[in-house]
């Protein structure tokens, strides 16, 4: 592997504990910048694979070869949530001059456990890179995994400035966007924007277990979108939900109250006020949805959509997007829909409202089937 | 408007009652096939606009001009759900030789009401075209709206063969895929695959009403996907949920039971068996999700995904898809993700697993940033 001279703000050497998807991706990204990385994992195989893909130097292999390893300036704990606090405490003791950070997706319980162990809190900082992953393990690692993704830094009251700076440098070096947030605020935020959607998606998808397949063949994009994350790894989510139980419960209690209200209303759908009750629930959903920022920070409702029917062949979608580019319109968002067994796909594109009418007309002139 | 000679199996003339998005789209599609269409709407403006876009002849305008309108062979009732049954009964009386069908999204209550009115059930057939719509009104109408979409035909016990044939011809003429399903089976199916996802999405999005915007800026694709349909029209959904209250309640009771179980577990996250309980809920979600058919009828898990970081400029996504086409790989699905304020988009493509490794390697050779 070719190593370019370091251009990273992160000073090496860096010890990465845990060489799964995220740990190995951090190692890869730092190696690309020329930073020295040592890898440690409880599984010798995982550690060796991570070294093989270029994420750093295996600590086991180096020690077996009699090498003297450098003292790390930064320790990144990228292990499963249920062992993170223990590994952070151990790293703070073993490396008394290093900054130690973790990347677990729940922050307050880790800080509480590290404090309870009497460790040096000035050198510890919790962080949470919000990078998507549908696969796990070092083979799936990519140095660019964090590109343009948010990376939350959650210092505690005792965290020192040097620790915060080290965390910030790491996130920026890996291309992420830094947000600073107090640990409990972080946990409440992810309970709402990440853990609650996961629970709702799983509760919904769970209802499909006994549905005949010919009924499910009628499913549209709505069901696909709302259940996509229900395919997530149960093992990981058990740890996340158990670690963040109270903030998740706060949201679930509110959902239960709304659900009880809706059930009571639907049990007497002809009663006075029943329709107003249903409308209110739907309108509250509208209001919440409208608050989620879109691509450039605008609300999602700020864009106009159009749907084009295209043949299901390799070049067709590319040709459509090429022509949209030729027309000079920027795509704000797009999705591909499909019906089982049909040779036609539907591409829905979101564009600036001011360009919508022109684009529809121009595409139709060029022979595209604009269906909506 | 140029009218080609009819190639439609649907015999005209067709009277379309209700000229909103769906009624006008049916009119447009039939006019393209040369079928004679007359439009009727309670709103004179809507009826006139539908005529202007070429969806058929305005009944009001024709009568005002002293024209004699042809007796319809088929009446399509495309009015809002809460007036459908009444309009069907009236049409069966006014046009004693015509087949009358409706396209409301709930079927058993309409059939029950038509039966209760003592109308001629042999000439009535309920149908439900499952076409997506994010807009309403005749201006948004497209003749191709039903292309490749499922269209359920729900005959009652008394529906005659001629009525079923007329409904089937209409759906096929408009490019839809026909599924035949008994009314109660239809209503239970849509309660599960359409109405329950809508309720769950609204309940979830409703929780975001008071969330600070800087928290929502951390939202990923999971929250966007699960709340997309929460943006739907409350007015329409009040009618749908009220009309299909019992089947929706059956699903909501089951969701409530699972939710209660999860809340009880999270209230004691350290208790024996708590983690197993959470894992079971997540695994049940996995199992349900895996049953939803993918593009060619395969399960969604049958495809491999890769994510590529692209510059946020008009031509970039098109160039990527062009190159994927050149490499000879067919996209099974794709999505565009984005982070607010970032000049980089992430394109996630689903492909046949056997082509995945080749495609990743070839794209990297061509200089693309494959990030996952």
């Amino acid at each position: 592997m070719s190593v370019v001279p370091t251009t990273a703000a992160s000073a090496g050497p860096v010890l990465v504990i845990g060489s799964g998807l995220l740990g190995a991706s951090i190692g890869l990204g730092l190696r690309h910048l020329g930073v020295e990385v040592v890898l440690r994992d409880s599984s010798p195989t995982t550690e060796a694979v991570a070294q093989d893909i270029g994420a750093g130097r295996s600590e086991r292999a180096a020690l077996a070869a009699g090498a003297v390893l450098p003292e790390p300036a930064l320790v990144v704990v990228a292990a499963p949530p249920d062992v993170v606090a223990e590994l952070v405490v151990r790293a703070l003791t073993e490396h008394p001059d290093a900054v130690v950070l973790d990347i677990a997706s729940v922050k307050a319980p880790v800080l509480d456990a590290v404090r309870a162990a009497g460790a040096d809190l000035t050198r510890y900082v919790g962080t949470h890179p919000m990078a998507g992953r549908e696969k796990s393990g070092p083979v799936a690692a990519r140095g660019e995994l964090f590109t343009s993704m948010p990376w939350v830094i959650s210092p505690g009251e005792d965290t020192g400035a040097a620790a915060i700076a080290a965390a910030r440098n790491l996130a920026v070096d890996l291309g992420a966007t830094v947000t600073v947030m107090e640990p409990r605020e972080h946990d409440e935020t992810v309970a709402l924007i990440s853990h609650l959607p996961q629970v709702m998606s799983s509760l919904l998808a769970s209802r499909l277990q006994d549905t005949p397949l010919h009924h499910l063949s009628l499913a549209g994009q709505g069901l696909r979108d709302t259940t996509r994350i229900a395919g997530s790894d149960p093992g990981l989510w058990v740890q996340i939900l158990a670690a963040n139980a109270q903030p998740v419960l706060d949201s679930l209690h509110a959902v239960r109250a709304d659900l009880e209200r809706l059930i009571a209303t639907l049990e007497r759908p002809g009663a006075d006020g029943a329709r107003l009750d249903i409308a209110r629930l739907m309108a509250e959903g509208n209001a919440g949805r409208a608050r989620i920022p879109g691509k450039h920070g605008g609300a999602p409702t700020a864009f106009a959509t159009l749907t084009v029917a295209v043949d299901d062949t390799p070049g067709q979608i590319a040709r459509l997007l090429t022509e949209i580019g030729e027309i000079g319109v920027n795509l704000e968002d797009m999705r591909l829909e499909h019906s089982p067994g049909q040779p036609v796909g539907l591409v829905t594109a979101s564009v600036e409202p001011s360009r919508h009418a022109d684009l529809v007309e121009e595409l139709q002139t060029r022979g595209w089937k604009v269906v909506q």
Side-chain angles (χ1 to χ4, degrees), chain A:
Chain A
M1 161 176 192
S2 70
V3 174
V4 296
T6 180
T7 54
S10 302
V14 176
L15 169 63
V16 178
I17 300 177
S19 306
L21 171 71
L22 293 174
S25 293
I26 290 171
L28 269 175
L30 289 175
R31 291 300 297 139
H32 287 159
L33 294 167
V35 177
E36 186 167 5
V37 176
V38 174
L39 302 165
R40 179 189 299 171
D41 197 282
S42 59
S43 154
T45 304
T46 300
E47 187 177 307
V49 170
Q51 172 174 275
D52 288 349
I53 64 163
R57 194 172 172 192
S58 158
E59 185 181 54
R60 264 190 197 83
L63 294 177
V68 176
L69 287 167
E71 183 57 26
L74 174 66
V75 179
V76 176
V77 176
D82 56 356
V83 293
V84 163
E86 180 191 332
L87 291 171
V88 165
V89 170
R90 198 183 307 165
L92 285 166
T93 308
E94 283 179 12
H95 305 289
D97 295 322
V99 166
V100 177
L101 64 80
D102 78 296
I103 60 165
S105 48
V106 181
K107 301 274 47 107
V110 178
L111 177 61
D112 292 346
V114 174
R115 180 183 288 120
D120 177 3
L121 291 174
T122 62
R123 291 185 291 116
Y124 164 68
V125 58
T127 81
H128 178 201
M130 305 186 76
R133 47 191 164 177
E134 302 191 7
K135 297 177 189 170
S136 58
V139 175
R142 301 269 182 261
E144 293 87 357
L145 186 67
F146 309 100
T147 304
S148 296
M149 305 305 276
W151 193 318
V152 179
I153 298 180
S154 280
E157 290 169 12
D158 304 310
T159 304
I164 295 174
R168 187 184 293 270
N169 287 341
L170 177 71
V172 170
D173 282 344
L174 296 175
T177 307
V178 171
T179 299
V180 177
M181 204 175 266
E182 193 266 312
R184 268 166 236 289
E185 184 184 5
H186 167 274
D187 292 355
E188 286 162 16
T189 300
V190 294
L192 196 59
I193 69 168
S194 169
H195 307 172
L196 182 64
Q198 178 63 50
V199 167
M200 296 297 278
S201 186
S202 294
L203 287 171
L204 170 59
S206 174
R207 293 294 104 226
L208 306 177
Q209 289 178 92
D210 303 319
T211 312
L213 287 178
H214 71 283
H215 290 183
L216 287 174
S217 72
L218 297 177
Q221 199 62 30
L223 185 67
R224 289 194 168 78
D225 283 350
T226 46
T227 59
R228 185 178 62 84
I229 56 174
S232 302
D233 174 27
L236 179 67
W237 277 96
V238 167
Q239 296 189 35
I240 293 174
L241 294 176
N244 206 27
Q246 193 53 54
V248 172
L249 272 175
D250 291 344
S251 290
L252 290 181
H253 286 143
V255 167
R256 178 170 61 182
D258 282 348
L259 178 60
E260 294 289 2
R261 198 180 80 192
L262 179 63
I263 286 175
T265 300
L266 288 179
E267 277 168 352
R268 303 193 308 135
D272 282 356
R275 287 172 187 240
L276 181 60
D277 269 358
I278 302 173
R280 198 171 288 147
L281 173 74
M282 303 298 300
E284 287 168 359
N286 286 175
R289 166 67 186 172
R291 292 176 63 80
I292 303 174
K295 190 177 187 181
H296 299 295
T301 45
F303 299 117
T305 64
L306 71 163
T307 301
V308 183
V310 298
D311 292 343
D312 182 18
T313 54
Q316 278 301 94
I317 299 169
R319 193 164 71 79
L320 172 63
L321 298 191
T322 301
E323 297 198 11
I324 292 175
E326 285 170 7
I327 296 166
V329 175
N330 198 5
L331 282 185
E332 299 299 333
D333 206 345
M334 70 162 290
R335 60 177 58 243
L336 176 65
E337 296 188 38
H338 41 69
S339 292
Q342 284 293 323
V344 173
L346 298 175
V347 175
T348 299
S350 303
V351 299
E352 284 291 336
S354 64
R355 307 301 313 277
H356 182 263
D358 284 354
L359 180 60
V360 169
E361 193 183 331
E362 184 65 30
L363 286 174
Q364 285 174 331
T365 304
R366 289 165 178 243
W368 291 97
K369 277 195 190 169
V370 181
V371 298
Q372 203 176 341

